[in-house]
Every structure is written in structure tokens, then in C-alpha cells.
């Protein structure tokens, strides 16, 4: 008997597929996922890969010689950016001076693991680094984060697309990408509901 959903790869009890809504986007996302995140029950990258038509996920730690990723990076029809906050990254902007199509690379892992992926993957070092508004706050209530404003991969993808996708401005009132956050919130609520009484309040809930 298969205990896991073959689509979202989570246990059937924790399946997120009912909350997934397919979305077409002008902006493409590439998710570079650390191997430890691939089967993590609380992983959120799958919400993006199932929701978005233009989304690719590659699993690994060092992507320097990753053939498929390098082929994408060589495509001059696209402007490639890495979502990576550091002292030299620029605030992500909806203005695209080159008029190229856009791809944004997300590093899926803890901050420590994402930093190592960045260090090892030298093919990313020549790409522009961008960051989201540092005042944004996440809702990843059941996973410890180094900062209060840390975002899950799904939340980061949502904000990137809301900022960059040309069509999102036209449908802003409808929140074109809102189903991403709906799936994320429902997943979190499910896992909280499965905790023994008092565990969430004691270990995760902030006053």
C-alpha cells in the first residue's frame, strides 16, 4: 500500500494537492534544493513546483557542473538573478531594463545550507544577487528561524512573483499568486493540528 502521494511526495494524510492551483507566470523560478530538504515533511518548495507552470527544481549542493542548470544559464533570452541577501545584493525590482525574460533562482535550505550551496556553486557567482524587502515577515510558525522576518521558500517565491510578474499588477486585487500562500498556510495548520496538546504553544508560539 502506497503511503505517500505520488504528486506532492508527502504522506497521504498530509497531502497538499487539494490546495494547489495551477498558475501561469511570465517570470520563471529555478529552485536549487539542498538534499536534506527534498523529503522534509515541512518543506514548502513543492508548493511552488506544483503550482507554477514555469518552475524547475534541481536537487544538490554544488551546482557548478550541473548540465541542465548551466544550459539554462547560457540562454541569453533570459536575465538570471539569484535571490540571496548579502552586503552586495540589490533590492528586487519590477523594472527590467534589458527587456529580457526573467528567471529567478531560489536556494531552498536552511540559511547555513543555502550559504554553503552559494559558496560551492561557482556558476552562480557572476549572476546579479537580489533580495526582497527586509521588512517582510514570514508565517513559518512551526520551524525555527534565525530571524523573525525569515521567509519559507514558498513565501519567497510568492513575493518574487508578485513583484516581478507583469500580469500581477493588472490582477493585483485578485492576488494572482494568493493560492501559493493559501496552500502554505493550510499545510502549516495541518501540522499544528497533529501536534500533541500544548506542544505548539510551548515550543513555537511567540508571545
Amino acid at each position: 500500500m502506497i503511503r505517500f502521494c505520488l504528486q506532492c511526495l508527502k504522506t497521504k494524510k498530509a497531502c497538499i494537492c487539494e490546495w494547489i492551483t495551477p498558475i501561469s507566470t511570465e517570470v520563471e523560478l529555478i529552485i536549487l534544493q539542498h538534499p536534506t530538504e527534498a523529503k522534509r515533511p515541512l518543506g514548502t518548495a513543492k508548493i511552488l513546483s506544483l503550482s507554477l507552470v514555469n518552475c524547475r527544481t534541481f536537487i544538490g549542493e554544488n551546482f557548478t557542473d550541473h548540465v541542465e542548470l548551466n544550459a539554462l544559464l547560457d540562454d541569453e533570452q533570459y536575465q538570471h538573478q539569484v535571490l540571496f541577501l548579502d552586503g552586495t545584493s540589490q533590492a528586487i525590482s519590477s523594472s527590467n531594463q534589458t527587456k529580457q525574460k526573467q528567471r529567478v533562482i531560489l536556494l531552498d535550505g536552511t540559511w547555513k545550507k543555502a550559504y554553503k550551496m552559494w559558496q560551492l556553486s561557482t556558476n552562480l557567482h557572476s549572476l546579479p544577487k537580489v533580495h526582497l524587502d527586509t521588512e517582510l515577515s514570514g508565517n513559518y510558525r512551526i520551524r525555527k528561524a534565525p530571524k523573525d522576518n525569515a521567509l519559507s521558500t514558498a513565501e519567497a517565491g510568492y513575493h518574487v512573483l508578485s513583484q516581478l510578474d507583469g500580469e500581477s499588477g493588472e490582477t493585483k486585487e485578485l492576488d494572482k499568486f494568493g493560492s501559493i500562500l493559501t496552500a502554505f498556510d493550510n499545510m502549516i495548520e495541518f501540522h499544528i493540528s497533529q501536534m500533541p496538546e500544548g506542544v505548539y504553544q510551548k515550543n513555537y508560539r511567540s508571545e
Side-chain angles (χ1 to χ4, degrees):
M1 183 178 182
I2 300 175
R3 296 177 51 244
F4 291 86
C5 172
L6 297 179
Q7 188 167 355
C8 70
L9 303 181
K10 298 183 184 294
T11 64
K12 288 191 173 181
K13 189 176 181 180
C15 176
I16 61 173
C17 294
E18 65 176 298
W19 303 310
I20 297 296
T21 300
I23 308 171
S24 295
T25 65
E26 293 185 350
V27 177
E28 295 188 19
L29 296 185
I30 298 175
I31 301 172
L32 303 185
Q33 185 175 65
H34 193 276
T36 59
E37 294 292 320
K39 294 183 179 180
R40 193 181 291 274
L42 296 176
T44 69
K46 204 67 178 178
I47 295 173
L48 295 176
S49 63
L50 290 176
S51 299
L52 303 172
V53 175
N54 293 332
C55 183
R56 295 175 172 88
T57 302
F58 302 125
I59 299 173
E61 189 174 47
N62 183 352
F63 293 90
T64 300
D65 298 317
H66 193 285
V67 174
E68 193 171 353
L69 175 61
N70 284 331
L72 293 172
L73 297 180
D74 286 339
D75 189 344
E76 296 183 355
Q77 296 182 76
Y78 287 84
Q79 177 191 43
H80 295 88
Q81 303 175 91
V82 185
L83 189 70
F84 189 81
L85 174 64
D86 68 5
T88 62
S89 60
Q90 301 293 316
I92 199 165
S93 172
S94 58
S95 61
N96 183 2
Q97 302 297 330
T98 65
K99 303 305 179 184
Q100 293 170 292
K101 299 176 184 178
Q102 295 192 73
R103 286 193 181 118
V104 179
I105 298 172
L106 308 182
L107 303 180
D108 182 40
T110 64
W111 170 250
K112 185 176 180 180
K113 290 171 182 173
Y115 179 66
K116 186 175 182 181
M117 291 163 68
W118 162 258
Q119 285 186 308
L120 293 174
S121 303
T122 56
N123 52 343
L124 304 182
H125 293 179
S126 62
L127 303 179
K129 288 177 286 185
V130 293
H131 63 259
L132 294 165
D133 184 346
T134 55
E135 297 301 314
L136 289 171
S137 58
N139 197 28
Y140 211 168
R141 308 187 301 282
I142 54 175
R143 196 165 178 181
K144 304 288 186 179
K147 299 179 181 178
D148 291 338
N149 62 347
L151 300 174
S152 67
T153 299
E155 291 172 308
Y158 165 84
H159 288 294
V160 165
L161 294 172
S162 297
Q163 182 92 15
L164 296 183
D165 192 273
E167 296 178 3
S168 63
E170 302 170 10
T171 58
K172 203 162 188 178
E173 291 182 6
L174 302 176
D175 194 359
K176 177 179 177 180
F177 304 108
S179 60
I180 293 172
L181 293 187
T182 298
F184 170 72
D185 289 336
N186 285 333
M187 185 193 80
I188 297 301
E189 288 295 338
F190 167 78
H191 283 283
I192 291 174
S193 73
Q194 300 302 299
M195 293 180 180
E197 185 175 354
V199 170
Y200 172 66
Q201 288 77 3
K202 179 180 179 181
N203 296 294
Y204 298 97
R205 191 173 185 177
S206 59
E207 298 300 328

